Amino acid sequence: QVQLVESGGGLVQPGGSLRLSCAASGFTFSSYTMSWYRQAPGKEHELVAHISTLGVGTNYADSVKGRFTISRDNAKNTVYLQMNSLKPEDTAVYYCRSRKVGLALEYWGQGTQVTVSS
């Protein structure tokens, strides 16, 4: 019943922008923190961005600070990742994660491919 569905991935040129969306259902969205992770071929998965339950607190990987912005709309049960000034090294599958504060329980989306290439 719990679902996290990512969308918005695709092919973009270096310096371009892309906005990823993750639509959630089947749980109380506002009670969960949300995160974006990514994994490139041959590399470990990496936490890209994180946002608190109400969207007040955020944090980012050093590699994306100043370029990516995570946000959430609890009325729409959706979390976003705005990606600007994209670089080839941003190429990866991006995953949405939902986690209940204070618990090990978490959910993952299926991922969406982002490719940055000229």
Side-chain angles (χ1 to χ4, degrees):
Q1 186 62 48
V2 171
Q3 293 186 38
L4 294 173
V5 181
E6 299 99 332
S7 62
L11 174 64
V12 296
Q13 296 189 127
S17 297
L18 204 63
R19 188 178 77 158
L20 305 183
S21 298
C22 175
S25 62
F27 63 97
T28 305
F29 183 74
S30 61
S31 297
Y32 289 71
T33 65
M34 300 296 297
S35 302
W36 287 96
Y37 287 78
R38 68 186 181 187
Q39 186 167 28
K43 297 183 179 180
E44 297 292 325
H45 71 280
E46 174 188 25
L47 174 63
V48 176
H50 178 86
I51 190 166
S52 61
T53 55
L54 297 181
V56 176
T58 60
N59 58 69
Y60 301 89
D62 288 341
S63 59
V64 307
K65 286 181 180 177
R67 300 188 298 119
F68 290 12
T69 302
I70 188 171
S71 62
R72 67 189 294 163
D73 186 339
N74 285 354
K76 296 181 178 179
N77 286 5
T78 302
V79 63
Y80 306 94
L81 184 66
Q82 178 67 46
M83 304 183 293
N84 299 325
S85 302
L86 283 162
K87 305 175 180 179
E89 51 263 45
D90 294 319
T91 296
V93 177
Y94 284 71
Y95 298 92
C96 175
R97 188 202 73 178
S98 180
R99 184 178 182 183
K100 182 69 172 65
V101 175
L103 298 176
L105 181 65
E106 62 183 34
Y107 306 112
W108 290 82
Q110 80 289 344
T112 185
Q113 177 71 47
V114 172
T115 302
V116 185
S117 177
S118 59

